[in-house]
Amino acid sequence: MAELPDAVFSSGMMGEGIGIDPTGQTLLAPCRGTVAQLHRAHHALTLRTPEGVSILLHIGVDTVRLQGQGFTALVQEGDLVEPGQPLLGFELDTIARRAKSAVVVVVVAEGGTGFSAPRASGRVRAGRDEIATVGGTSTPESASSPSPAVDSITGRLVRISSPSGLHARPAARLVSEAKRFRSSVVVIKGTAQARATSVTELMGLGLSFGDEIQISAQGTDADLAVTSLSDLVAQGLGEDADHALALPDARRFVSDSDRVLGGVAASPGLMVGEVKLRALTVPKFDLESNTPAAEMDALERALEATQRRLLREHDDYVRRGEIEKAQIFEAHAELLTDATWMSDCVVAIRTGSSAAAAWFGIVSQRADSLASHRTALFRERAEDLMDVGHRVLRALLELPDETFETSKTTVVVSDTLTPSALASLDASRVGAFATAKGGATSHAAILARSMGVPYVAGIGSAIENLVSGMAVIVNGDEGWIRVHPDPSDLADAERAMAERKARMSLAEGLAHDPARTLDGRVIEVAANIGNAKDAELAVKNGCDGVGLLRSEFLFVNRRTEPSEDEQREQFERIGRLLGRERSLVVRTLDVGGDKPLAYMPITSEENPFLGIRGLRLSMRYPEAFAAQIRAALAAARHTKLHIMFPMVGQLDEFLRAKDLVATQMRIAQVENVSLGVMVEVPSAALLADVLAKEVDFFSIGTNDLTQYTLAIDRGHPELAAQADAVDPSVLRLIRMTCQAAHAEGKWVGVCGGLAADPLAAPLLIGLGVDELSVPGPDLPRVKAAVRAVDSNLCRRLAERAVTLTGATAVRSLLKQFAEPQAAGE
Ligand code: PEP
Ligand code: MG
């Protein structure tokens, strides 16, 4: 089972068992028993033996999605079956083509003792060979669960949001989480209920997508158990993200040719290269050991050695000035400081597990639970955790590092791309990245963009068409990979690459000049930065200033609050890099919602995006807020300082923050600091005429403005792609903000992702925007886009765009507008 491509089985979370790669198409009963449950999709059933052992028989991995296609039930619930009796029929071909694996899993889900499988590998004959033995417990667990006691706590009604209902995998996730609590927890559906620590009982509730349940708990941590488990269920128990992979996505490149694999454009660029597969393999290890003391020693040594090594790597990157990469390794080292690793592993080791099995099981389990989180930030942490998990495992097994040789034309193809795998590669020796999973907002995508390496993510199972050594064309602008290119494809790609290079070098040559439209309107092109290293790159790429310093990024990997001096040091460093000729717009701390910060106490809220985030959070901690403002004011000695507040929705919020800043400015005797608000809540745009009288400037955060205008969570695994900032509703709010600001003589910037959208510059100029603030590497391109247009034509374009019916219509208008411009170049 350890080799199955599903951590729920391979980590042993479901119980002990064995995996059989079938050559036939009928599942036979492995022992005598009653069919306790038969899944609706007919891909799994549970047998209950007379000794009280529940055995789960599950055909294939991810087969629940086939919804019964290719399966035939040969028995019914309640049937008593004899060993060797046919239970389910299945079409091997359908499963092999459509599921991750066809391996049949036989798991002792409950009530068994002394499991042993004498044949660890090899061939077995159905109905003849013994595959495993297991004893029954003397006190078999009762299938009927205890009623919640009188003083138990019962949570809110939550809907099952895993698309396939509560089948084996989500049930196992719920069980593994429920086991962390000391309280006894039950899941209630109408009059039926099941213990949350029993996979089979949970599956027995037959819960489908959309069903409503309640979680009830009794014990010392009942409250926490009920809230956490209810949240977990509401978030889909890890199934949403998988599901989303299969869904069409508006920004996904949809291919109509076998030779073109469509994915998500995660980092721009075009290249011709050669595929090299990078598989993260799990080394073989013994599952059991009878020397627990030695195992614990070995684990402790491996944890320490890995941590030391990660910190060494962090220091190396700091010395090379690669702060972004350094921070990743620091964060990874911190992951290992958690004392519960050792305590959790000790429990498993004492019961006969080897250190490697204990460690890897627990890491996989925790990573899985993070991977099921609703917000992208947490899901990305799962990748980080597995990354560190593999490192410790290799240290424990005393294996050398896996080496991976690349060249400038290598297209690195893998299932996922972990940040540390990416950071460990030399950008000048990699051609492109392609992954089955992931999207455009992952940590890895951000790093790939900062390295300037094209990246196509989210290719899904079609990635299997890529084999090492194969020639491909990778288009990271549009998100596709062409396999088996013929000479004319290659010639087209080479030509496009040469043109692109020429355009880029022209743009780079002019990067330090102001961006002036054909009719002479100057548009300030500024940079979005998160730290001093970004500021350095931005200056090198010709930024006119910094339009957004995301101050929360300065300390995102810290566990403790930075002191005022540490903050001041960072702001001053950035201010010095920019100098007196450029502006620096510091955004005050923007955490809460989807952006947690380890040292900020943020209470969990039902609707965190509509709760205490951004400025609302800062105002709750006036001392910390004042310290941040004092630290930022120090930068006014070196550069043109602007301060702006995130998530302002009402005038009062701004006025209170303005007061606080005014007090600090008086004390510090600093003058000439401009104060602005981010327009990212629709009410701020609708009240722009009122706000414009009080602020010095506006900066439109189109990422959040789009999310709140369209009521689509920006990190939603299924809907986010629909939240396009060129939706006419968002464009009208941008226009409204510009008109109101200009009437009061104030300026407007756009610092959300739309500013860097390759098609959007003419539209934003036409709507009246004065400044575009974009990621550092995009600066020369955006300046070139400004220079290519006439602002009067842009105005006409914008007037037309706001009258259109939706984002798709706007995008096609923008494409039409861009084509004659490109042709005229
Ligand atoms: C935005 O919301 O558009 C923005 C720039 O802020 P952030 O992406 O940091 O929330
Ligand atoms: Mg925002």
Side-chain angles (χ1 to χ4, degrees):
M1 257 194 358
E3 286 163 27
L4 277 178
D6 185 339
V8 165
F9 292 120
S10 59
S11 67
M13 206 191 283
M14 288 288 284
E16 289 179 298
I18 190 160
I20 303 173
D21 202 355
T23 53
Q25 307 198 80
T26 313
L27 173 70
L28 307 183
C31 57
R32 185 160 206 259
T34 310
V35 179
Q37 284 144 18
L38 172 63
H39 195 283
R40 234 173 304 118
H42 293 173
H43 70 298
L45 58 72
T46 310
L47 279 188
R48 197 162 178 85
T49 73
E51 298 80 17
V53 184
S54 288
I55 300 191
L56 171 70
L57 302 160
H58 190 287
I59 301 173
V61 171
D62 266 358
T63 35
V64 66
R65 292 210 194 140
L66 302 183
Q67 298 186 355
Q69 210 187 326
F71 294 97
T72 322
L74 306 171
V75 287
Q76 292 178 355
E77 278 182 7
D79 283 359
L80 179 67
V81 297
E82 295 299 330
Q85 182 175 331
L87 301 175
L88 299 172
F90 54 95
E91 291 166 18
L92 202 47
D93 186 48
T94 309
I95 300 172
R97 272 189 295 111
R98 303 198 39 206
K100 270 195 202 159
S101 159
V103 168
V104 177
V105 187
V106 182
V107 186
V108 180
E110 253 168 39
T113 53
F115 174 86
S116 89
R119 290 165 178 272
S121 63
R123 290 173 71 87
V124 285
R125 288 163 304 173
R128 295 215 226 149
D129 294 329
E130 183 178 294
I131 52 167
T133 55
V134 60
T137 43
S138 46
T139 50
E141 288 188 52
S142 152
S144 64
S145 18
S147 335
V150 193
D151 55 352
S152 63
I153 291 177
T154 300
R156 63 185 199 270
L157 275 174
V158 277
R159 252 177 227 289
I160 300 289
S161 57
S162 13
S164 326
L166 204 67
H167 69 99
R169 184 170 43 198
R173 290 239 163 91
L174 184 58
V175 167
S176 81
E177 290 299 315
K179 282 183 177 163
R180 291 186 193 199
F181 298 99
R182 281 187 297 276
S183 302
S184 55
V185 186
V186 292
V187 172
I188 305 168
K189 161 88 196 328
T191 52
Q193 60 185 51
R195 281 173 298 182
T197 44
S198 160
V199 175
T200 45
E201 281 186 28
L202 286 174
M203 283 171 43
L205 290 177
L207 294 168
S208 309
F209 176 76
D211 281 352
E212 283 189 328
I213 59 156
Q214 275 176 298
I215 307 249
S216 178
Q218 188 197 15
T220 46
D221 52 2
D223 222 345
L224 191 62
V226 165
T227 329
S228 321
L229 298 173
S230 302
D231 285 353
L232 198 69
V233 170
Q235 285 156 10
L237 289 158
E239 298 296 282
D240 286 6
D242 284 357
H243 186 60
L245 258 185
L247 289 170
D249 163 337
R251 309 251 176 88
R252 182 178 292 278
F253 184 86
V254 181
S255 164
D256 53 8
S257 153
D258 286 354
R259 289 169 52 224
V260 177
L261 314 180
V264 174
S267 174
L270 179 69
M271 65 87 63
V272 175
E274 196 174 282
V275 168
K276 187 160 180 193
L277 298 182
R278 186 178 206 273
L280 197 59
T281 47
V282 182
K284 290 220 177 309
F285 51 80
D286 289 333
L287 293 176
E288 289 168 8
S289 159
N290 47 21
T291 51
E295 296 292 319
M296 279 184 242
D297 272 0
L299 180 59
E300 210 151 349
R301 277 198 312 275
L303 285 167
E304 277 168 17
T306 310
Q307 200 174 15
R308 270 198 310 275
R309 180 140 177 229
L310 285 162
L311 290 173
R312 246 189 348 261
E313 288 175 18
H314 162 266
D315 295 348
D316 286 348
Y317 282 117
V318 170
R319 263 193 298 280
R320 282 187 249 156
E322 298 188 44
I323 305 301
E324 208 160 5
K325 290 185 181 176
Q327 283 176 340
I328 292 170
F329 289 100
E330 188 183 29
H332 282 194
E334 268 195 30
L335 283 174
L336 294 179
T337 56
D338 185 339
T340 63
W341 286 127
M342 220 33 218
S343 54
D344 282 5
C345 289
V346 164
V347 175
I349 292 171
R350 284 214 183 106
T351 52
S353 212
S354 68
W359 167 255
F360 206 61
I362 287 163
V363 167
S364 313
Q365 194 173 325
R366 291 198 193 172
D368 281 349
S369 99
L370 278 174
S372 69
H373 207 280
R374 191 166 62 94
T375 58
L377 262 166
F378 282 91
R379 290 199 298 273
E380 283 157 15
R381 282 284 165 276
E383 291 187 353
D384 291 318
L385 200 52
M386 277 322 286
D387 206 354
V388 178
H390 276 274
R391 279 189 182 240
V392 174
L393 184 64
R394 294 189 81 81
L396 196 50
L397 302 172
E398 295 178 357
L399 295 171
D401 283 349
E402 282 181 296
T403 50
F404 194 74
E405 288 297 318
T406 55
S407 77
K408 251 180 113 64
T409 55
T410 306
V411 178
V412 180
V413 174
S414 53
D415 188 44
T416 58
L417 200 53
T418 59
S420 80
L422 211 145
S424 67
L425 293 167
D426 177 354
S428 64
R429 294 183 58 83
V430 185
F433 298 112
T435 55
K437 297 190 180 137
T441 56
S442 71
H443 214 148
I446 293 170
L447 276 181
R449 288 199 287 272
S450 81
M451 288 159 74
V453 176
Y455 174 18
V456 179
I459 296 172
S461 57
I463 201 136
E464 283 160 18
N465 292 309
L466 300 174
V467 290
S468 287
M470 180 187 241
V472 288
I473 300 171
V474 180
N475 188 324
D477 300 330
E478 295 177 8
W480 53 257
I481 294 184
R482 180 177 285 278
V483 295
H484 307 303
D486 57 32
S488 82
D489 296 328
L490 289 171
D492 286 350
E494 301 285 356
R495 196 174 330 108
M497 279 158 63
E499 279 169 15
R500 188 190 175 92
K501 204 163 155 200
R503 261 204 314 274
M504 281 305 283
S505 60
L506 188 67
E508 275 159 19
L510 295 172
H512 293 266
D513 295 349
R516 218 183 283 275
T517 60
L518 293 171
D519 56 324
R521 196 172 139 204
V522 174
I523 301 290
E524 182 118 349
V525 181
N528 290 352
I529 65 167
N531 54 40
K533 172 94 176 131
D534 291 350
E536 230 170 281
L537 177 83
V539 170
K540 211 169 100 211
N541 282 347
C543 71
D544 300 328
V546 161
L548 169 65
L549 164 59
R550 288 182 162 103
S551 64
E552 64 279 3
F553 276 16
L554 286 172
F555 306 106
V556 79
N557 286 318
R558 301 250 323 208
R559 289 232 160 161
T560 52
E561 188 172 345
S563 69
E564 192 174 322
D565 285 346
E566 283 173 294
Q567 298 190 53
R568 177 177 301 114
E569 209 251 331
Q570 291 292 328
F571 288 126
E572 286 206 84
R573 209 162 131 206
I574 294 169
R576 273 195 296 270
L577 282 163
L578 295 174
R580 290 240 61 96
E581 294 307 307
R582 298 189 185 86
S583 333
L584 164 63
V585 180
V586 173
R587 175 175 75 185
T588 60
L589 213 57
D590 185 19
V591 293
D594 63 332
K595 301 175 185 165
L597 197 58
Y599 55 83
M600 274 316 255
I602 300 171
T603 39
S604 94
E605 294 174 281
E606 186 102 350
N607 274 314
F609 278 113
L610 304 181
I612 299 165
R613 62 168 294 197
L615 181 60
R616 296 172 193 162
L617 185 72
S618 291
M619 290 307 273
R620 293 220 156 188
Y621 299 96
E623 262 319 302
F625 190 29
Q628 189 190 31
I629 299 294
R630 282 193 297 273
L633 290 177
R637 284 210 298 275
H638 312 285
T639 186
K640 284 189 249 172
L641 180 68
H642 297 56
I643 294 179
M644 73 174 170
F645 309 109
M647 300 301 301
V648 172
Q650 291 155 330
L651 177 68
D652 265 7
E653 292 175 317
F654 172 69
L655 292 180
R656 281 203 300 277
K658 187 177 173 180
D659 254 11
L660 187 140
V661 176
T663 309
Q664 296 308 324
M665 283 174 66
R666 248 192 330 274
I667 298 170
Q669 298 183 340
V670 175
E671 287 170 359
N672 297 331
V673 176
S674 301
L675 292 189
V677 299
M678 285 198 74
V679 176
E680 41 188 358
V681 182
S683 61
L686 295 165
L687 286 178
D689 54 339
V690 176
L691 285 164
K693 294 189 175 37
E694 300 291 339
V695 303
D696 296 315
F697 67 96
F698 288 117
S699 184
I700 304 179
T702 48
N703 308 336
D704 276 312
L705 186 61
T706 309
Q707 137 165 291
Y708 291 119
T709 305
L710 300 179
I712 293 179
D713 179 342
R714 65 197 262 187
H716 194 289
E718 289 169 38
L719 299 175
Q722 237 170 284
D724 192 337
V726 301
D727 192 281
S729 57
V730 181
L731 301 183
R732 287 179 190 210
L733 293 174
I734 298 176
R735 182 177 61 170
M736 195 178 252
T737 309
C738 292
Q739 285 169 348
H742 293 165
E744 295 292 333
K746 313 290 165 68
W747 63 269
V748 181
V750 171
C751 61
L754 184 61
D757 187 309
L759 293 173
L763 177 64
L764 294 174
I765 294 170
L767 289 168
V769 169
D770 306 288
E771 178 225 50
L772 298 172
S773 192
V774 301
D778 293 320
L779 287 158
R781 180 180 57 73
V782 173
K783 280 195 168 183
V786 172
R787 293 189 190 110
V789 295
D790 177 294
S791 74
N792 295 308
L793 287 182
C794 292
R795 206 178 50 249
R796 292 225 290 276
L797 170 79
E799 275 163 12
R800 173 114 180 80
V802 294
T803 64
L804 294 177
T805 50
T808 314
V810 176
R811 288 224 166 257
S812 61
L813 176 71
L814 297 180
K815 273 205 186 112
Q816 278 168 27
F817 186 83
E819 271 151 22
Q821 311 268 335
E825 266 178 10

